[in-house]
Each structure stands twice: as C-alpha cells, then as structure tokens.
Amino acid sequence: MRSLPETSANNGGGPVGDCPSGSARAAHSRFVQRIRRRYPTELALLPPGVPGRETIGALIDTLQAGGRALPAALRVARQLVIERLAVLDVEQQAPLDAITLTMSTLAEVTLDRALAQAFADQDARHGAPCKDDGRRAAFWVLGMGKLGAVELNVSSDIDLIYVYDEDGQTAGHGNSHAGVSISNHEYFSQVARTLYALIGETTEDGNVFRVDLALRPNGNSGPPVVSLAMLEEYFLVQGREWERFAWMKSRVVAPASAMTSGEALPLRDVVIPFVFRRYLDYGVFEGLRQLHRKIRDEAARRAAGRPERANDVKLSRGGIREIEFTVQLLQVVRGGHFPELRTRSTLTALERLVAVGVMKPETASKLAEAYRFLRRLEHRIQYLDDQQTHLLPTDDADLGWIARSMGLICTADTCELLDTLGTHREFVATEFDALLHDGRTPGAGGCKSCGGPPPQLDGEAFLERLPAAIAARVRTFCATPKVAVLRDETKLRLAKLIGRASLAIDEVDIREDAVLRFIDWLEPLLRRESYLALLAERPEVLNRLLRLLGLARWPMRYLMRHPGVIDELADARALQGRFERAAYLRDLNERHSAWTRGGQADEESLLDTLRRAHHAEVFRTLVRDVEGALTVEQVADDLSALADATLDCAIRWAWQHLRQRHRDDPHFAVVAYGKLGGKELGYGSDLDVVFLFDDADEADPDKAAEVYAAFVRKLITWLTLRTAAGELFDIDTALRPNGNSGLLVTSIASFERYQAGRGSNTAWTWEHQAITRARWCAGEPRLAPRVEAVRRAVLAAPRDAAALRDEVRTMRERVRAAHPVPARDGQPVFDVKHSEGGMMDVEFAVQTLVLAHGAAHPALRDDIGNIALLQLAETVGLLPPSVGQSAADAYRELRRAQHRARLDEAPTQFDGEAFATERAAVRALSRAVFG
C-alpha cells in the first residue's frame, strides 16, 4: 500500500492544503456532509492517515470514555472511519486495498468488542458454555463473501455464520431461575441475538453493519448458530454446489484470539474438503451456471421498466460479480490439486491462476484492471448517501462528481466514465460467457441439427447419424452393465460427447479410429463424471484429445491410467516448449508452501502432489512427441531430466517426514544407472539407481547408517507406492554394491573402495560396464563431484583388453539367451533390442570401448551418450573409418523404430529382412570391437 498525505483533524480528515484544480471533493457526498454536521468535534478524535486496528480500537475506547455506551461508540466510530475513507479515496486516490482492508478491519474490531460484551452478558446469566472435558466451548464468527476475503465495501452488509465447536451445557449459577444451566446451543443463540442488537440494529446513530445470516446451513430456515458436528453433517448430506463458492471465502473474523491461537483449525478441516475436491471438478460448472442464471434473471426483473437499474456495477452483465464468479470457478475446479489457488482475494487469485497456467497473463491483467475500476466506482456510488447500492446515479451532478474523483470527465457532450465502464464490462462479460457457454463454442450462432429433443445414447435416431463402425461400437458400449446403470443425465452427456467426436471426423479432420479409441477410453471412466464434464465444457480439449488418440495408441493407455492429465490439453504449454526443471521445481515448492500454509502438508497430500505433477509433465512430453515436435533424443532427455527433478524433490520432502532425521538436510545422493544414467529414459521405464550417503562428519557413523537406511526405505515407498493419484516410478536397486544381497544404502567411502577394487569386496566387470552410464542425478550437489570421480577412476583403470572382451562377450551371450526371439509363422524376426545386430550389441560394444581405452583416451570417460561415444571412438582411431558413424546412425534409427512401436503399442519385432542396413552397420561395429 502506498503512503498517503497526512490529513488534518479540523476538517474531518480532509487533505492538507487544497485539492488539485478540477478534482472532486469528498464534501459533495451527502453522507460526508451529515457526518461533519453531526460529529464536528468527534472527527478530531481520529488521528491522521489510514485507520488501522489499533487506531479504531482506541477510537472506540475514547468514545466510551466520553460517556457513550458500547452500541453508540461502535456506531459513531463506524461513521467517522467511513468519512475518513471517503476523503482518502476521493481526494487522495487511496489504493483500493487500503479502503477494503480498513473496512474489513473495522468489522473485525467491532465484532470482537460486541462478542466480548455478548459473552459477558450470557456468562453472567448462565455461566460459561462447557464441553464434556470441562473446558470452555469455542464460538467463532465467520465472515463470508467480501468480509472473508478482506474486500469489504464502504457501505456493505456483512455476511456472517456462527459456529461453535461442541455441544454441552453451561456452568449455571446456583438454583435461581435466572442462573439455570442451558445448552450450549441455547447459550450461543442468545449470543447471536446480542450480536445483532449491538451491530445490526438501527438506532439514532445508525447501525454498525447490516448483518445477513442467509448463508448459514439451510439458509433463513436454519438455526442462527450451528455446532461443528452439525456443519460437517450438513456439508456431507445437503451442501449445494453454490455454497462451495461462498465457503471458499470464509474465515474466522471474531473473536480476535481465535484468529491467531489455532483453536479454529478443526473448522478448517471441515470446510476445505467441502469446497475443494481431490479431483479436477468440472462438474461444478453447471452449479455456478444455474446460480448465475438466477442472479441475472433477478437483476433483469429489477431493471424491468426502470432503465437506470441496467447500470448495476455489481450484478449487471460484465459487473463485479462476473469477475468474482470467473475467478472462483477456476479456483474451485482446480483448488483440490493446486492448493496455491486457495486464496480468498480476487486479485491475488488472478495472479495465481496465471502462475499455474490456467489463465493468460493479458486476460488476468485486464480482469484485474476492470475489477479495480468497478470496485472504486462502487465505493463512490456508496459514498454519496451511505447506501448499499451499486447503481450509477442518474443525477448529472453526482455522475460528474464520481467521474472527476476517478480522474475522468463526464459532461452532457461526452462521458469518459461511461465509456470506460462500457469497455470494462464488455470484456468481463465476454470472458465470463466464454467460460460458462454451456459446452458450446461461444458466439458460434446456431446449428441446424441442434434443435429438438436431446440425443438418446442407445436411440436408433442417434445411432443412424454415426458412421457404421462407430455406431456398432456404441451399441456394444450401451449393452455393458456399467452403461445401463448410469443416470439419464450422464447418458445424455455421453451421447453429446460421442456425437461431437463423430462430427469432428469431417469438421477437424479426425481419424475414425481415434473416435473408436475415445469410446474405449470412456468406458473405465463412466463413474468419474468430472472428466466427462471437462470434455463437455471444453470442446477444444475434446478435439485435441481426439487428435492425440488418432496419432498413437499408447496415449490412450496413459490417459486411462491418469485421466486427470487431459486438463493439460487446455493449456497451450502442452503443445510447445520443452521440460523446464527450474519451473517444475518452483511450482512444486509453491504447492508445498500452500499445503503448509493450510496445515495440510501431510504425506498423503505430498505423495499425490508429486504424482500429479509428474504425470502432467510426462503427458506434456507425450503430446509434443506424438505431434512431432520432439526427436527421440529430446524425448529421452526431457523424461530423464523430469525424473531427476522429481527424485530431488522427493528426497527433500520425504526427509522432512522422517522421524529419525538427525540434521536439517541429508548428506545423501542418488546415482542413476541404465537408461536414466544414460539420459535415454522412455515412457514407463524403470529407474536403475544406487543410494549413497556421506558420513564423514558424523559423530556416530553407525547411527547415521541406520538413519539413512530408514530414509531409503521411506524414499522407495514415496517413489513406488500407488496412491489415489496413481504410481510414480518402479525402482530397481540391483546395481548397488553386492547386488540384491547388499545394503540398500552405502556410504560413499564404501562405494569408492568397492568400485576401485580395494579389499576383498570388489566390483565385477559387469558392474564396471554399468558404471560407464552412471551419474549423480539427485540429492546433495556436493556429492556429485565425488560420484563422478569414482566413475572416472573406474573407467581410467588399466585392463587386459583381451580378457575384457571375452568377459563382455560372455555377458552378451547370457543376456541374449535370457531374451530369446522366437520365429513368427516359421519365419525369423528381428528384435530391435535383443537380436543380433540390435541395440544391445551397440551398447555392449560402446561399454567395451570405454573400459578398454578410457585410460588412454580421457574423453571417452565423459557421459555423453552412445551415439556421441561412437563418433568419438572413430575420431580418435579406435574404429575404422565410417564404422563408428554408421553404427551411430543405425543406433539412432533403431531407437526411433522402438519408440514408434511402443507409442502405438506395436511389437518391437519386425520381419527378418527389416533394417538390413542398420544391422550390417552394427555387425561391422561388433567385428571391429570384438574381432
């Protein structure tokens, strides 16, 4: 908040000196005029500047000390604060958040004072309300709407809900009738009545705030106060979709002690699961659509025959409410997965929607600009007479004053105020209509076949409109028991989706087999209606999904396992760019911080967060892959980098949940082998890893070893456990020292001795083959140079070349025997990985070259991948001319073939004569290396 000029007390807090020429004066307000006439001496009690919590509290104390009772002191304080805000806002252009924060603080302070008085009154009559354990029962005043979001208007009512934590009885006072014990519910109901009298009743000094309890469970027909247990049951049994939007902005606003003590945490644990679902909740669209339709209809009814009511800056088309609904809808849909979206502030939420990729920056910027403009305009409307109205005045003088106070002009000839208002409202309305377009392309006009009754999924009229193959598949689909028991509403939604998918064959050039795969994909998701709702609400997502399914089979399998990732198709980032480690980790850290702020950073939430983030990134890479935007090598690089980042994050998060941890950060590293080590990871590849720790500075090395052993067991669980969000990785630790009989985690000193061959426990040749592709991939960066030093020392060790070739050749034959390639219909087939002349032959040859010649050629020790190593070996003369390059080209082509086959769930075995050129190149390499 920017600083404001000091104000003088003798003119009601007006600015020191004159206003700039042509600017507006707060004194135009009839409300300000009344306050200055009625309270000329009291205005001086408020010190200069924006009133804060302490200032407002001191003002109330001073007014009471001057002889006013609490109800009068609260009301007069309210009048003085709003007069001050009118001056600061109109004459000094105070920021919007300065005004709304002050109003929200005024509500909190006055409610806290009133609540203290109500407790004192009822305690004197009936004693303290007690829980079963004898402690005092807690009572919370919840601010909803703009009070909950700290966005309160200057003439707003306050939406409140009263909740107490536990039923019981009051302590009572002897046997007199007046002191009889009553139930906690009766006690707090009396407190609610006292609060209304102190805050809401209109006296000669006005009121403090109009109080509205309509948002409580069961609305105006429900009790004024509810217990926490009653609230929880209501949410489970009767809670309606629109109430989730209301409760998203709820917060405890009184008593002040409850806002900082943490006593209201049980309330938060009841509210959050009601507001935010664990899945992407597109089903909420229809609930908000119905609510908004009622609001618009009501606004239209009020405006009928009264054209001045068309300029309602809150409820009319393109008004404040549509900005709030736009933001809240996106928050509720995704807030279960993205806790950082769980903010009450509209402007903060817009920033966070951009950060998670849900809204374009330029859209959020324009909505924020419109929101600030409309809220400032709303305040000026209310300053005029201190009325809870949102209608632009029809009086020219009032309209001109409002315009000047906002730095605009409004005359009989031109009105910049109305022009600017119209521009903002049109943009807001367009964005809102695009969001709630009933599943149809906004602005698309009508379609000839859209009239008449909705399509019946199993109706002949519907089936006849479909291509023959799709109609046959739908008939089979409808005959399944899962479909037969679906609600009629769900069947209608399925019919619409399948109908749209069929139309897409001609309209957007989708292949017919993509629609058949789409129907196959739908079948296991019939009970997960939120995903069907997503496709119904976002036609562009459906089209992108169909295109993806038409390009390859494996995306369908991935989408069946992780259906939530289809939301990524709504994000333009899915179709461009590359994986970015820094952005990925930043998003995860922000999500972790959000869980922590909400008190929900438990292991279950973090495990699901890791899985969802990883699945989304894998899917983005998959989309780019099948769209042809990435090469096979780029896909492998990105998947490997993603695994590295996910491992690193899992280490940091899991360590904080280890009870035995003995330091803030673990001295721990993960060494990647195999495909991950060589940065050749594929979709669904296992991770071959070795876990190391550094105990050099440990006072008790044995204790440290126990701690890290417990940590690795936890980490493996974090990485492999299947949760509601799915699985993360399959982990293979067989390459650790002494294989499956060795310890799960080894000190780095022991690892060095084992690999270097010092002592009786040393590595085998096949382990040295594996280490050619090893690298530090996650954990403490300080350990990375030591891991690399061990690897390079192994590769630089002198070896008997002939003995090495024999050992590697023997190992190659053992692997080939373990993966036989049977003939197909009596004809030989070629497996791109395991057959002679395949990828495995290349990998064994490269390992042999590195181990045999790494001592003489240091460049071979670099972990640069098989293709680059082959090219380097030819360059330094270890391979005949063209042999290395030809083998590198062959390896690249074989990888492509394997990759394409796996994407389409096709076999990686081909006709025996396939890849003749590539196989010849690999055979030439084997002859050059092994003789």
Side-chain angles (χ1 to χ4, degrees), residues 422-747:
T423 300
H424 284 309
R425 284 180 54 183
E426 187 59 35
F427 178 79
V428 171
T430 300
E431 289 300 315
F432 185 77
D433 289 344
L435 192 63
L436 289 186
H437 53 66
D438 287 320
R440 295 184 296 273
T441 303
C447 68
K448 296 178 181 178
S449 60
C450 290
Q456 299 297 315
L457 184 62
D458 54 357
E460 284 302 317
F462 172 65
L463 295 172
E464 287 174 0
R465 298 206 304 262
L466 303 178
I470 296 173
R473 180 67 187 91
V474 171
R475 284 191 175 90
T476 305
F477 181 65
C478 292
T480 62
K482 286 183 180 179
V483 175
V485 298
L486 291 176
R487 296 182 301 134
D488 290 342
E489 179 185 348
T490 304
K491 290 181 180 180
L492 289 174
R493 182 176 281 165
L494 284 170
K496 289 180 181 179
L497 288 176
I498 293 172
R500 285 181 193 161
S502 299
L503 290 174
I505 294 174
D506 295 325
E507 293 178 358
V508 290
D509 196 24
I510 296 296
R511 292 169 48 180
E512 187 173 291
D513 59 350
V515 180
L516 294 173
R517 291 173 187 171
F518 173 64
I519 297 170
D520 290 340
W521 176 74
L522 285 173
E523 188 166 348
L525 299 175
L526 295 176
R527 294 290 184 184
R528 306 174 78 168
E529 294 191 21
S530 62
Y531 300 118
L532 304 182
L534 164 60
L535 296 174
E537 297 293 344
R538 307 295 296 270
E540 75 280 9
V541 174
L542 175 61
N543 288 338
R544 289 174 187 162
L545 173 63
L546 290 168
R547 173 170 169 74
L548 185 65
L549 294 176
L551 292 173
R553 290 179 179 273
W554 198 79
M556 182 183 76
R557 193 74 55 206
Y558 194 79
L559 282 160
M560 283 181 172
R561 288 159 54 196
H562 312 298
V565 299
I566 59 171
D567 190 54
E568 299 301 318
L569 291 174
D571 185 354
R573 293 180 303 175
L575 306 179
Q576 58 192 10
R578 296 280 301 276
F579 171 71
E580 297 179 12
R581 175 188 172 97
Y584 176 73
L585 290 175
R586 182 178 62 250
D587 289 347
L588 280 171
N589 289 334
E590 289 175 358
R591 213 147 295 151
H592 187 282
S593 297
W595 286 124
T596 302
R597 286 194 302 271
Q600 293 184 299
D602 55 82
E603 291 195 54
E604 180 182 4
S605 296
L606 298 181
L607 287 170
D608 286 347
T609 296
L610 275 176
R611 280 151 179 76
R612 292 189 188 109
H614 181 264
H615 298 160
E617 284 294 343
V618 170
F619 186 66
R620 289 174 185 161
T621 300
L622 175 61
V623 172
R624 297 163 190 155
D625 182 6
V626 298
E627 292 277 2
L630 300 179
T631 66
V632 175
E633 290 81 4
Q634 288 173 325
V635 170
D637 286 344
D638 285 1
L639 291 176
S640 301
L642 171 60
D644 290 353
T646 305
L647 284 169
D648 198 65
C649 188
I651 289 169
R652 288 185 287 107
W653 291 4
W655 181 257
Q656 297 305 314
H657 287 266
L658 182 71
R659 289 193 304 273
Q660 305 98 311
R661 71 178 187 276
H662 59 304
R663 56 172 68 244
D664 291 337
D665 299 300
H667 290 179
F668 179 84
V670 179
V671 182
Y673 282 74
K675 294 293 185 184
L676 178 59
K679 298 183 180 179
E680 295 181 351
L681 209 61
Y683 302 112
S685 293
D686 294 355
L687 303 190
D688 294 302
V689 293
V690 168
F691 301 113
L692 303 178
F693 70 94
D694 183 14
D695 62 355
D697 64 345
E698 299 287 356
D700 187 346
D702 292 338
K703 178 65 175 176
E706 292 177 9
V707 171
Y708 285 112
F711 175 57
V712 166
R713 289 192 293 272
K714 175 179 282 289
L715 180 61
I716 290 176
T717 298
W718 271 55
L719 296 173
T720 60
L721 183 68
R722 183 175 182 83
T723 72
E727 71 285 346
L728 197 55
F729 299 114
D730 287 326
I731 300 294
D732 191 337
T733 61
L735 290 173
R736 66 187 187 271
N738 297 307
N740 290 330
S741 62
L743 299 173
L744 269 178
V745 60
T746 307
S747 73

Side-chain angles (χ1 to χ4, degrees), residues 368-386:
E369 182 183 355
Y371 181 78
R372 291 189 180 94
F373 176 87
L374 292 169
R375 290 299 308 276
R376 293 179 68 229
L377 176 56
E378 175 187 46
H379 285 163
R380 281 151 177 76
I381 293 170
Q382 295 175 349
Y383 288 138
L384 285 169
D385 296 291
D386 189 26

Side-chain angles (χ1 to χ4, degrees), residues 306-322:
R306 302 182 65 182
E308 71 277 6
R309 287 191 171 271
N311 274 326
D312 188 316
V313 299
K314 178 180 179 181
L315 298 180
S316 291
R317 183 176 184 272
I320 295 167
R321 180 58 55 83
E322 292 193 355

